Amino acid sequence: MTRYWIGVAAARHVRIAVENSFAMFAHGRHSAALRTRPGDWVAYYSPREGMNEGAEVRAFTAIGRILPGEPHEQLMTAAGDTGWQRNAEWLPARKADIYPLLDRFSFVRDRGHWGMYFRKSLFPVEPVDFALIAEAMGVADAFGRAGTQED
């Protein structure tokens, strides 16, 4: 069964993941990588350009699908830190501002405190919520075609 996820990561980190065809969550925690499965869809939300620094982004910055295979450990920084990641295929999508979507998401029950929903590094969402993100990112057609295929 296909599941739909929102991952939260700095835009700079998302670009690295997209360029290298992988997905990583919760600073590379193995347990987070294990939550996703091949065929699952992921959209990254980026609050800022860097981790707790840089310009505000507050947008969805990537959308794609987890590829077959198990999570694997990978070097993350020059300092020798490693993290767990999954291979992913990212759609060519545009950045989508979160604000126009907030009143449409089924999981945001209090717009005044919408940020609390995005404090987790990875959380599941309903297909209808994910479809809103895909539409806002300009990939609704590609997502719809792929989303109808069961693995």
Side-chain angles (χ1 to χ4, degrees):
M1 174 181 206
T2 301
R3 294 177 297 174
Y4 305 87
W5 301 92
I6 292 176
V8 179
R12 184 178 311 125
H13 296 167
V14 172
R15 284 192 299 275
I16 293 168
V18 170
E19 289 168 7
N20 293 285
S21 301
F22 72 85
M24 183 182 287
F25 313 103
H27 308 288
R29 287 192 188 104
H30 188 237
S31 60
L34 287 172
R35 291 180 66 197
T36 61
R37 301 272 187 251
D40 286 358
W41 284 90
V42 176
Y44 271 118
Y45 168 73
S46 298
R48 302 188 78 81
E49 181 58 33
M51 194 165 108
N52 300 320
E53 53 91 20
E56 287 185 351
V57 176
R58 294 191 178 176
F60 290 96
T61 52
I63 187 169
R65 202 160 197 196
I66 302 296
L67 294 173
E70 293 299 317
H72 54 278
E73 202 167 15
Q74 184 71 32
L75 183 67
M76 294 183 348
T77 65
D81 295 333
T82 60
W84 290 88
Q85 63 187 36
R86 283 194 176 270
N87 294 334
E89 178 179 40
W90 300 103
L91 298 176
R94 66 178 175 248
K95 185 169 71 170
D97 186 346
I98 194 167
Y99 289 106
L101 300 172
L102 290 175
D103 291 329
R104 299 173 68 194
F105 284 144
S106 67
F107 61 91
V108 176
R109 292 182 178 83
D110 180 356
R111 186 183 170 115
H113 296 95
W114 70 268
M116 68 183 241
Y117 302 100
F118 292 84
R119 292 201 184 276
K120 302 174 199 153
S121 295
L122 179 69
F123 62 96
V125 295
E126 295 296 323
V128 67
D129 295 314
F130 201 87
L132 290 171
I133 298 167
E135 180 181 1
M137 295 185 80
V139 296
D141 289 344
F143 166 70
R145 282 193 305 275
T148 60
Q149 301 167 6
E150 287 301 319
D151 296 299

